[in-house]
Amino acid sequence: RPPPCLFAIGGMYMYVGSFVYVLQAWRLRTTLSVSPAQFVLLTLHAAWPLTLWSVALTCLLEDTPSWLLNALARVERRLPTAIHRSLFLQPESLRPVVSLLEVVHAHESKRLQSGAIGKAYRNVAADGKRVRSYQEIDRERRRTSRRGGARARP
């Protein structure tokens, strides 16, 4: 995933631009003879691109919101065919994936029940030594590499 700061530049440009658009319409409402209903439409015109961009960014940076998935499920039957094919996987294409996952699940279940993985951990624990975390091992490597690097310098 790209870092969120990359999207902040474009996002701020869009938000500030829409805000200035609405602000200028408010300031010029008498000159332009903008009615309250027209001002509401003008605000919606400025807000819908921001809404689409924000939802798309949420889908890109995080998991897809459940309210969006529920809304798509409600309108699924009414969508045009091209959009429906791009949003929803057809059941025929999912069958091979499901059968592969079933085989992998059965294999991993057998492997875990056989204890092949558990034995390695039990042997380490049976030695009476404390099992170190990856963070501890990484810290130790850094300390030893610093010491070795300092000695190697003339």
Side-chain angles (χ1 to χ4, degrees):
R1 291 182 184 169
C5 63
L6 291 178
F7 298 103
I9 297 168
M12 292 308 295
Y13 178 77
M14 289 176 63
Y15 281 103
V16 170
S18 294
F19 175 75
V20 169
Y21 177 72
V22 172
L23 183 67
Q24 291 303 321
W26 178 256
R27 287 184 180 167
L28 297 171
R29 69 185 180 278
T30 54
T31 307
L32 297 173
S33 303
V34 176
S35 70
Q38 288 173 329
F39 188 76
V40 168
L41 288 174
L42 185 135
T43 305
L44 290 174
H45 182 262
W48 78 266
L50 295 176
T51 305
L52 289 176
W53 185 80
S54 299
V55 170
L57 190 62
T58 303
C59 293
L60 183 66
L61 296 177
E62 300 172 8
D63 290 333
T64 306
S66 60
W67 61 266
L68 179 62
L69 294 174
N70 293 336
L72 285 172
R74 275 189 233 120
V75 297
E76 177 184 357
R77 292 190 179 108
R78 290 180 237 139
L79 290 174
T81 309
I83 294 175
H84 189 276
R85 280 191 206 133
S86 67
L87 291 176
F88 300 98
L89 292 174
Q90 303 303 319
E92 305 85 43
S93 62
L94 289 177
R95 284 192 186 102
V97 175
V98 170
S99 63
L100 175 65
L101 286 174
E102 287 173 348
V103 170
V104 169
H105 182 267
H107 173 73
E108 289 298 316
S109 295
K110 286 179 188 175
R111 195 166 66 99
L112 287 172
Q113 289 172 356
S114 71
I117 294 175
K119 287 179 186 173
Y121 290 113
R122 282 193 295 273
N123 289 340
V124 171
D127 292 352
K129 295 180 182 177
R130 189 174 71 85
V131 178
R132 297 181 305 161
S133 67
Y134 289 114
Q135 290 86 3
E136 290 173 326
I137 294 169
D138 191 40
R139 274 188 236 126
E140 186 178 320
R141 280 189 198 144
R142 286 184 194 158
R143 275 186 275 160
T144 56
S145 67
R146 282 187 216 146
R147 289 180 196 155
R151 290 182 201 153
R153 292 182 186 159

